[in-house]
Amino acid sequence: MYKLLKIIILCIASMSLLYIGFTHYQMQKHKNNNPTSGADYMIVLGARVHGTEPSLSLQYRINTAADYLLKSPNTIAIVSGGQGVNEDISEAQVMKDGLIALGVDRQRIIKEDQSTSTYENIKFSKKLIKDSAKRIIVVTNDYHLYRSILIGNQYGLDLEALPAKTPKQALLKSYAREYLALIKYYLLSMTNQIN
C-alpha cells in the first residue's frame, strides 16, 4: 500500500512539474512582444485599484498603453474593468484618467466599466469593437497575456500581445495565481462553459 501511495504521489508531482513547465514556457513567449504601430483597437485590461489610485501592476499597464497610443494616433483604446471591493471608482475610470494624464486624447478612449473578470473584459470589450477592425492589441502584465489571448480566441478575437511589466514584489504571487487560473480556463474550455 505504501509503495502504491508513493507511486501516486510521484506521478502527481511529475504531472504538476510538467504542467508548470509547459505553462511557464507559454507565458514567457509573449514577454518580449512589440507589436507594430497602427492597430485599430487596444484593449487595456483592468487590475486592482487602491481607492482611486492604480496599483503598480495597473500603472504599468497604463504606461505601456500610453506609450503605444502616443505613437499610434489612430488606435482606439478600450479600458476595461469594473469597480471592485475597496475601489472607490472603476478600474476603467482610473485607466482613462491615467491615459489622459499621459497625453492621450480622451476622444480616443472608450470606457467599459462593467466587467469583473478577464472573461468579461474580453467579452464586453468585443461589443465595442467595429466589425471592420483588422488589428486588436491587448495590454496586460506579461504573466497574464497567454490566458488573455486564449480567452480572446474563445470570443473570436485574434489578439496581439503588448506586455506590461509585472512588479517584482508581485511576481511569485502573480504567477502562482495564473497557473491556477489557467487550470480553470482549460476546464471551462473543455466543458464548453465559456460563453
Side-chain angles (χ1 to χ4, degrees):
M1 184 68 176
Y2 173 73
K3 203 169 188 178
L4 179 62
L5 186 61
K6 194 174 177 182
I7 291 170
I8 291 170
I9 290 170
L10 189 60
C11 285
I12 291 170
S14 299
M15 287 171 61
S16 298
L17 284 173
L18 281 170
Y19 167 73
I20 289 171
F22 169 78
T23 304
H24 193 75
Y25 169 74
Q26 294 298 331
M27 290 160 75
Q28 293 302 304
K29 279 197 334 190
H30 303 292
K31 199 168 188 176
N32 297 312
N33 278 21
N34 189 20
T36 57
S37 60
D40 297 299
Y41 286 89
M42 165 191 287
I43 302 171
V44 191
L45 303 183
R48 184 171 299 281
V49 167
H50 303 296
T52 60
E53 297 298 316
S55 60
L56 189 53
S57 290
L58 187 56
Q59 188 62 57
Y60 283 160
R61 297 179 193 192
I62 294 167
N63 294 347
T64 299
D67 185 56
Y68 184 94
L69 290 166
L70 292 172
K71 294 172 186 170
S72 299
N74 295 318
T75 302
I76 301 297
I78 300 172
V79 288
S80 178
Q83 184 175 341
V85 179
N86 298 324
E87 295 179 344
D88 295 338
I89 57 176
S90 71
E91 295 164 7
Q93 186 62 55
V94 170
M95 288 187 280
K96 182 174 182 177
D97 293 343
L99 290 174
I100 291 168
L102 290 171
V104 178
D105 183 348
R106 69 177 61 246
Q107 301 300 320
R108 297 171 58 200
I109 305 169
I110 301 171
K111 199 167 64 167
E112 183 290 295
D113 59 4
Q114 300 303 306
S115 54
T116 60
S117 67
T118 305
Y119 298 93
E120 290 183 351
N121 287 145
I122 305 292
K123 182 180 181 179
F124 297 168
S125 294
K126 182 184 178 181
K127 295 175 183 176
L128 304 171
I129 295 171
K130 291 181 180 175
D131 292 337
S132 59
K134 291 183 174 59
R135 290 184 59 213
I136 306 162
I137 287 175
V138 63
V139 178
T140 187
N141 303 103
D142 47 26
Y143 74 90
H144 188 222
L145 278 168
Y146 175 54
R147 183 164 58 98
S148 301
I149 288 168
L150 289 175
I151 293 170
N153 288 339
Q154 290 285 335
Y155 290 117
L157 293 176
D158 183 18
L159 300 174
E160 295 180 44
L162 179 56
K165 289 190 304 183
T166 301
K168 288 181 182 175
Q169 62 270 33
L171 275 172
L172 187 60
K173 185 170 120 180
S174 297
Y175 274 91
R177 285 177 59 195
E178 194 65 9
Y179 294 137
L180 295 174
L182 276 160
I183 291 172
K184 179 182 177 184
Y185 165 81
Y186 292 134
L187 291 172
L188 291 173
S189 181
M190 285 188 296
T191 55
N192 294 314
Q193 292 186 54
I194 300 174
N195 51 34

